[in-house]
C-alpha cells in the first residue's frame, strides 16, 4: 500500500501538471480520469510477484502511467505530436527510469 502511494506521489503530480499545461488529448480528460486510467491498467497487470518486488512494481507502474496518459494523446490538426512531446518530457523528467531508447516511450 505504501509503495503505490509513493509511486503516485513520485510521478503523478508532475505528469498531471505537464498534461494540463502542455498537452492536448483526443478528448478532454480531468485529473481523476487520468488517474483512474492508470489504476485500471495497474489492476490488469499486477500479480503477487510484481507487488512483492519493488523494482518490478515500479516498472509496472511506469508502464501503466505512460499508457494511462499516452492513450489519449495524438497528433493535433496543426501537426503537433503530443505523444512525442510527452515522451520527450518524460525521458528528461524521469531520467532514472530505464526505458529502451527507441523513438518514443510508447515503442
Amino acid at each position: 500500500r505504501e509503495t503505490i502511494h509513493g509511486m503516485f506521489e513520485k510521478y503523478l503530480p508532475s505528469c498531471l501538471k505537464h498534461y494540463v499545461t502542455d498537452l492536448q488529448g483526443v478528448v478532454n480528460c480531468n485529473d481523476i480520469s487520468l488517474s483512474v486510467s492508470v489504476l485500471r491498467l495497474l489492476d490488469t497487470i499486477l500479480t503477487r510477484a510484481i507487488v512483492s518486488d519493488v523494482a518490478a512494481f515500479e516498472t509496472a507502474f511506469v508502464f501503466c502511467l505512460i499508457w494511462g496518459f499516452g492513450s489519449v494523446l495524438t497528433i493535433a490538426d496543426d501537426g503537433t505530436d503530443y505523444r512525442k512531446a510527452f515522451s520527450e518530457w518524460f525521458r528528461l523528467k524521469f531520467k532514472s527510469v530505464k526505458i529502451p531508447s527507441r523513438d518514443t516511450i510508447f515503442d
Side-chain angles (χ1 to χ4, degrees), residues 32-100:
I32 299 298
S33 297
L34 292 167
S35 302
V36 168
S37 293
V38 173
L39 286 170
R40 286 187 176 151
L41 288 168
L42 269 174
D43 188 45
T44 62
I45 68 168
L46 288 183
T47 62
R48 290 187 192 276
I50 291 172
V51 171
S52 64
D53 180 353
V54 176
F57 184 83
E58 185 165 10
T59 300
F61 184 87
V62 167
F63 175 85
C64 294
L65 181 80
I66 287 169
W67 282 102
F69 279 77
S71 63
V72 295
L73 298 175
T74 189
I75 299 173
D77 292 337
D78 66 359
T80 304
D81 188 343
Y82 288 107
R83 211 176 249 195
K84 185 175 181 183
F86 180 70
S87 175
E88 291 169 355
W89 172 84
F90 194 89
R91 285 184 195 270
L92 288 173
K93 178 72 177 173
F94 301 108
K95 292 179 182 180
S96 64
V97 176
K98 294 177 183 170
I99 298 173

Side-chain angles (χ1 to χ4, degrees), residues 1-10 51 54 57 61:
R1 191 175 204 174
E2 291 175 20
T3 305
I4 195 166
H5 285 262
M7 295 295 147
F8 269 96
E9 288 175 6
K10 179 178 180 179
V51 171
V54 176
F57 184 83
F61 184 87

